[in-house]
Amino acid sequence: MSRRRADSQGSLGPDDEVMPYSDDETDDELDPGSDSEEHEAPPVPEAKAAEPGWRVKANDRDFCNLPEFKKKVFLCFKKSKYSGNAIKTYKYNVVTFIPLNLFEQFKRAANLYFLALLILQIIPQITTLPWYTTLVPLVLVLGITAIKDLVDDLARHRMDREINNRKCEVLLNGRFQESKWMDVHVGDVVRLKKNDFIPADILLLSSSNPNSLCYVETAELDGETNLKFKMGLKVTDERLQEESQLARFDAMIICEEPNNRLDKFTGTMRWKKDRFPLDLDNMLLRGCKVRNTEECHGLVIFAGADTKIMRNGGKTRFKRTKIDELMNYMVYTIFVLLILVSAGLAIGHTFWYEEIGKQAWYLYDGSNDSASYRGFLSFWGYIIVLNTMVPISLYVSVEVIRLGQSKFINWDLQMYYQAKDTPAKARTTTLNEQLGQIEYIFSDKTGTLTQNIMAFKKCTIAGHTYGNPTSADGVPLERGQPVSFKWNKYADEKFQFVDHSLVSCIRSKKDPEVLEFFKLLSLCHTVMVEQKEDDLVYQAASPDEGALVTAARNFGFVFLSRTQDTITIREMDEEMTYEMLALLDFNSDRKRMSIILKFPDGRIRLYCKGADTVIYERLHPDSKNKETTQTALDEFANDTLRTLCLCYKDISTREFEAWANKHKEASLAMVDREAALDRVYELIENNLLLIGATAIEDKLQDGVPETIAKLAKADIKIWVLTGDKKETAENIGFSCQLLTDDMQLHYGEDVNEKLQARQANRRNQPPGLSRNKKTTEPFFPEPGKNALIITGGWLNEILYEKKKKRRRLRLRRLGRRPQPTSPQDGQPINDLEKEQRQIDFVDMACECSAVICCRVTPKQKANVVSLVKKYKKAVTLSIGDGANDVNMIKTADIGVGISGQEGMQAVMSSDYAFAQFRYLQRLLLVHGRWSYIRMCKFLRYFFYKNFAFTLVHFWYSFFSGYSSQVAYEDWFITLYNVCYSSLPVLLVGLLDQDVNDKLSLRFPRLYLPGQQGVLFNYKNFFISLFHGIFTSLIIFFIPYGAFLQTMGQDGEAPSDYQSFAVVTASSLIITVNLQISLNTSYWTFVNCFAVLGSMAIYFGIMFDIHSAGIHVIFPSAFTFTGVASNALRQPYLWLTIILTVGISLLPVICIQFLHKTIWPSEGDKVQRNRKRYEMEAEEEEKKKQPAPFRRGQRSRRSAYAFSHSRGYADLIASGRSIRRRPPVRRGIPDSIQEVQQAENS
C-alpha cells in the first residue's frame, strides 16, 4: 500500500520543497505582478518603485549619521536607524535598578495592597496593630525578590559583556586594529581569522582561499555542524586583498531593509561606476563561525539588533505560570471577602455602639464621635486586623520553593551528560510547577531529536544484503564484533561495521559488483577534501554524502583529491585518476545526482545515485536484481534507514558528444536555465543498470523513542516543527516512533479539503445558526489513530497567509478591489472567518496523535505554538537547539534549549537547558510533577493556615463589640507566618513526593492531574477556606467555653483576655503543625525536626516575650508579662488545648482515611503496590524483544539520503574551490583493467 502524498508537482498547491517566508517578506517582494487576479481590478497608475532604503558606505562611519537616516525616538530626540553592534539583554543598570525593580514589584497587586496597609497602620485613629507587623514582612519580601532579580540580571550582564567584548580586527585609519564587537559599526571593514565567530552580518570581500571562498559553520543558526561555503565577488577578490586596497575601498551598498529571512539577501554594490549584484552566497551571517579559511575580509552591512540572527529571536515575553495567575485571582477573591467581612463588622459596630456602647458609661473613651463615624473607623481597623487573610509571606515562600526546585534540577546527576560535561540548568526560577502541566510539546528535529550524524549501516549489492552481524565466512551471529580496519591506513577510526563478510569479499576481490559499488560511492559525490597533517578531512554539503564517502574510504576506496575536471581515488592499493566530463548535481525535484567519467582506458561511464522512486523509473528493462533490491529497501525502510539506489550506464563517445552539445546549449540559456538543464539531464539518465542500495542511519539521540512513548502515555502530544524536507521529517517521525504503522497519515491537500468543506458548510448555514452553534463534529470520525504531516507552504495556504493574499488584503484596504463575498473565493470573507479557519485547523491537529510541520520558517514555528496557546488554552513547551528555534522557544509557556552543541543561541533564550532530548521525560514526569504537587499542596495548606489564624478575630469580634480588637498578642501576629508555621510547609513545598522518581517514570499517567489542574483550583481554594473556618471555630469556641465558667487549682479563675489569647494561640500552632504532618507524604528527619522545632520555637519565644525582664526594657511593646507561665501551669488549660487540637484534626484524619481506602488516587494505588510494580518492571525489561519485520507494511523509503539543497557541483565545475591542480602522480599505469559488471557478462 503506497502512502498518499501532497505532491507539489503539477498541482495548484504550494511547493512542498520551498520554505515560505511569506509572513516576513520585505516590501520589495510584494510586486504587483505576483497577483494573478490583478486584472480584475481597475487599472491604477503605479508610482515608480523607490530604491531600497538601506545604504552602506564602505569605510565611512559618518555616513550612517546623516540626517536622512535619523529616526525619531522620543519627542524631538532622534537617532540613527542603523543599530550599533552591542547587544543588550539585561533589564537594569546601577541607576535604574531600585526604582525600576520597585515599580515592577508594586505592579503585583499583593505588594501594593500591603503598602496601602502600612500607610493605614501609620494613621493613629484607625490603627489596631503596630506598623512594624506589616513593614517587616513587606521589606523582607521586596528585599528577597530584589536580590533574586539582581542575581539574574547580573548573569545577563555577564553574558552581554562576554559577547560584546569579543575581539575582532577593524580597519581604522588605514590599518587593521583590534577592536571589541560592541565598537564595530555599519560600514566598517573587518578581518576575521580561522575559528572566529562572525560579529555582524558581513559582505564577504576577499579571503585567503583562491577566488575568495570561505567556509562557515552555521550551528548557531540551525544547529547543523556541516560546513557551508560563501564566495566573494570576483571584482572584490581581485582588487581587495591588500590592507591598502581595503583602506581605499569606498563602494556604496544598496540592499534590502533588515529582516529575519535566513535564506535570502538581495542587494547591489556600486563601485567604480559599475554595479554588481549581491545575494546570500556573498554574506557571512552573525553567529556563524569561520572554518578552514585562514583569513577573510568583509564589510559590515547589518549590526546588532538588525542582524538576521537577532531578528529571528522574536520578542522576549514575560512568562507566568497558570498557578501564578490563579493565585492572583484567589488573592483578589480574598480581598473581596476581606472588604465584605470588614464592612459587615463595621456595620455591626455601628449598631452595637448605637444600642449598647454609648449607653455604657464605663466604655466612654473621651471621644464624642458618632456611631457611623466609629463604624467607618472600625471598617479600616478590620481591614488591618484581617489583612493576614492575604498573606504577604506567601510570595516569599513561593520564591524560596521555586529556587530550591531549580537547584534540584541543576543538581540532578541523572540529567548530567558526561560525554560533554553538561549538567541540566534551570535558567529561570519562576516556571517549575508549570513543568507539571504540559499538554503540548513542540520540538525541532535536527540536533534535538537527532544527532545530525549519519552512519553507514547496511547495503544491498547485486541482491545480497550486508550489514547484519556476520562472520567472515558469512555465518550469521547473534552479537557481532566491530570489523577491524587496521589493514587500511586511511580508515576512519570512528567508523563501525559488524559484517565481516563484506570486508572479506572486498579484500579477496572475488566479487566485481561489490568493488564497483564502492567505486561508485568514492566517485559520485560533491565532497571536498582537505589534507590535515596525515589525515583526510571531508567537507560535504550534507552529512549523508559525508557518511557514504567515509564508508567507501573505510572499505578501501579512498577519495583523495579533485580538480575542476579530474577526481583521484585509491582503489585498494592502486591510485587512480578519472577525468570528470560532467557533474549532474542533486536538487529537490531530481532527487538524484550523476557523474560522467572518462576512464583511463577511454571508456565513458555514468554513475548515478538517488531515491528509488526516481531511479526505478529510469532502469533498463533488463536490469537485474530489481526485486531483491526492492525487498532489501523495504527491510531498510522498516528499520527507518535513509536509502539511496546506486546504478551506472556505459556511454559511447558519439552519444556523449551529442549530449554534451545539448548540455552546453542549456547551460548558456538566459531564460529558465535550470529547467532546461533538467530536461537535458533526463536525456542521459536512462537505461541505467542497478548495482545496489545504501542504508544510512540518521542517528537519533539516545532514548528518543522511549521518551516520546512515555510522554504519550502521560497524554502529552508532541508536534515536530522543522525546516527539513517532508520525506526526511516523516522518516524521523517513524524512527522515533512518533508515527506508527497503524496511523492514517494526512497531508496538506487532504487537510485543506477538509477545512474548506467545513468552511463551506458553515457559510451555507443560516447566519444565526452558524454563529450561535459551534461545530462539534470531529474531522476524523473513522476509528483509529491519525497523524498530520504538513509543509510550510500548505500551512500558509490553510491559514490564509499566502503572499498573494496579503497583497489582496492590502489592495482591499486601499479600496482598489471589492471585498470577496463569494463562497467559491478562497479568501476569508472577514476576520472572523479567518479566525474560525485557524480554530478549525487547531481542532483538527489536536485530534491527531502526532503532527509534523516541515519546511517551516522560524516565525511559522512560533505562530503554530501561538495558535495552540490561543485556542486550546493549553500549557505548551518548545524544545530546540538553534537560532531558528529561538522564536518558538520564547513563544511557548516553557522553552527548553539543547545545550552541549556548538550552537548556544537556543540555550541563551531558554528557560531550561540540558544536553539530550531524553532528559525531557525526567524534567516533566519527575521534577515537573513533583514541583506541581508540592506547590499545590503548599498553597492549599498556606491558605488554610491563614484562614484558621485570621478568622479567630472574626469570631472574637462578636464578643468585643466589633471594636477591631485583636484576639492574639501583637508579637504572635507578627511572627506567626515568619517563625511559627513557615518551616514545615516550606519543606513540604521543597521535599514532598507521593511516589519516588522511578515510579513516576514507570507510571506516566500520574502526570494527568497536573494537566487537568485538579490539585489547585477554586474548588480546592474554597475547601481550604471552609477548612480554615471550621478550624477557627473550634480554636475559638472550645477555649471560650472552657474559660466561661472555670476555676483554677489555686481558687482563681484565669479567664482573662491575655490567658485566652495564649490558649488559642497555642492550640492554633499545634493544630496547624500537626495538620501539615498529616499532609506530608514523604517523611525525612528534616520534616520531623521542622514540625517539632516550630512548636518548640513558639513556646520558647512566647516565654521570652512574656518575661518580666523584656517588659522592663520595652514596657510599651511587651505587655503580656507573665501570662504564659501563669496560664500554662494550669492542667485544665492543657486539657483544653489537647481537646481543641483533637477535635480540629479528627475529621481530617477520618476523611483522609476514607479517601485512601475508598477513593484512592493513582499515586495512592502506586505507593500501596510499590514492591509489586518494581518486580513487574524488572520482568518486563527482560521480556523486551525487537519488533519483527512485517511484510506488506507501507514503505518509508521516502527519506532518501541527500541534502536539502544543492551540493557543491557548481563550485567544483567553476574551479573556484581548487587551491591548485595536483601534480601528475607517478606510478599510475597507462591502462587499467576495468572490473566488468555482472550485468555485462
Side-chain angles (χ1 to χ4, degrees), residues 61 82-87 163-164 166-172 177-192 198-202 286 298-304 307:
R61 289 186 172 184
Y82 297 89
S83 295
N85 204 40
I87 63 166
I163 294 174
N164 291 332
R166 284 178 178 173
K167 300 295 176 60
C168 68
E169 293 183 80
V170 179
L171 188 61
L172 297 173
Q177 301 176 21
E178 192 175 79
S179 179
K180 296 178 180 178
W181 277 23
M182 60 190 290
D183 298 326
V184 172
H185 291 75
V186 171
D188 284 351
V189 173
V190 298
R191 179 163 65 190
L192 301 173
I198 298 168
D201 288 355
I202 292 172
R286 177 174 177 142
L299 176 67
V300 177
I301 305 296
F302 302 127
T307 57

Side-chain angles (χ1 to χ4, degrees), residues 959-1031:
F959 303 92
S960 62
Y962 312 98
S963 59
S964 308
Q965 172 68 34
V966 294
Y968 309 114
E969 179 202 6
D970 292 346
W971 281 103
F972 176 78
I973 295 172
T974 304
L975 298 175
Y976 173 73
N977 275 318
V978 177
C979 297
Y980 301 156
S981 62
S982 59
L983 193 55
V985 68
L986 204 60
L987 289 174
V988 165
L990 285 169
L991 304 175
D992 202 47
Q993 49 183 266
D994 54 346
V995 298
N996 62 31
D997 55 342
K998 292 181 180 178
L999 291 177
S1000 295
L1001 292 170
R1002 166 131 171 92
F1003 295 96
R1005 302 291 294 177
L1006 293 172
Y1007 191 80
L1008 295 183
Q1011 293 175 328
Q1012 298 159 0
V1014 298
L1015 299 185
F1016 185 69
N1017 48 37
Y1018 263 103
K1019 176 186 174 183
N1020 301 119
F1021 171 74
F1022 283 111
I1023 289 174
S1024 296
L1025 173 61
F1026 290 122
H1027 187 194
I1029 292 172
F1030 169 76
T1031 302

Side-chain angles (χ1 to χ4, degrees), residues 581 596-598 602-606 649-651 653 656:
L581 301 178
I596 302 175
L597 298 170
K598 187 173 184 180
R603 289 183 298 111
I604 298 175
R605 176 167 289 184
L606 177 145
K649 171 186 177 180
D650 286 314
I651 305 171
T653 304
F656 173 75

Side-chain angles (χ1 to χ4, degrees), residues 97-111:
F97 173 69
I98 293 178
L100 195 56
N101 187 261
L102 287 177
F103 173 74
E104 288 181 348
Q105 290 203 59
F106 281 116
K107 284 198 293 187
R108 182 178 280 172
N111 289 343

Side-chain angles (χ1 to χ4, degrees), residues 519 523 567 571 575-579 597-604 1228-1234:
K519 180 188 286 187
L523 292 169
I567 183 167
E571 299 178 18
E575 198 168 289
M576 306 287 290
T577 298
Y578 297 86
E579 183 181 350
L597 298 170
K598 187 173 184 180
F599 282 51
D601 61 1
R603 289 183 298 111
I604 298 175
I1228 299 178
D1230 294 333
S1231 64
I1232 299 175
Q1233 182 65 36
E1234 176 60 23

Side-chain angles (χ1 to χ4, degrees), residues 79-222:
K79 73 170 188 177
S80 174
K81 71 175 184 177
Y82 297 89
S83 295
N85 204 40
I87 63 166
K88 172 189 169 186
T89 61
Y90 60 84
K91 294 166 62 177
Y92 313 110
N93 57 38
V94 176
V95 177
T96 62
F97 173 69
I98 293 178
L100 195 56
N101 187 261
L102 287 177
F103 173 74
E104 288 181 348
Q105 290 203 59
F106 281 116
K107 284 198 293 187
R108 182 178 280 172
N111 289 343
L112 203 58
Y113 164 70
F114 284 109
L115 180 64
L117 269 182
L118 181 61
I119 295 170
L120 289 176
Q121 285 180 278
I122 298 173
I123 303 172
Q125 288 82 357
I126 60 175
T127 184
T128 52
L129 286 170
W131 54 267
Y132 52 78
T133 58
T134 300
L135 180 65
V136 172
L138 181 61
V139 169
L140 194 65
V141 169
L142 296 177
I144 290 175
T145 307
I147 291 171
K148 184 182 77 68
D149 290 343
L150 179 62
V151 170
D152 290 345
D153 207 53
L154 286 174
R156 286 190 285 268
H157 270 278
R158 281 194 298 271
M159 183 71 74
D160 289 350
R161 276 198 304 271
E162 180 186 336
I163 294 174
N164 291 332
N165 290 332
R166 284 178 178 173
K167 300 295 176 60
C168 68
E169 293 183 80
V170 179
L171 188 61
L172 297 173
N173 302 320
R175 61 188 182 88
F176 282 104
Q177 301 176 21
E178 192 175 79
S179 179
K180 296 178 180 178
W181 277 23
M182 60 190 290
D183 298 326
V184 172
H185 291 75
V186 171
D188 284 351
V189 173
V190 298
R191 179 163 65 190
L192 301 173
K193 303 288 183 65
K194 187 176 180 179
N195 297 329
D196 281 353
F197 278 105
I198 298 168
D201 288 355
I202 292 172
L203 172 66
L204 179 61
L205 299 176
S206 61
S207 78
S208 55
N209 290 342
N211 301 295
S212 291
L213 187 73
C214 179
Y215 292 98
V216 294
E217 185 180 274
T218 60
E220 285 279 359
L221 293 179
D222 52 22

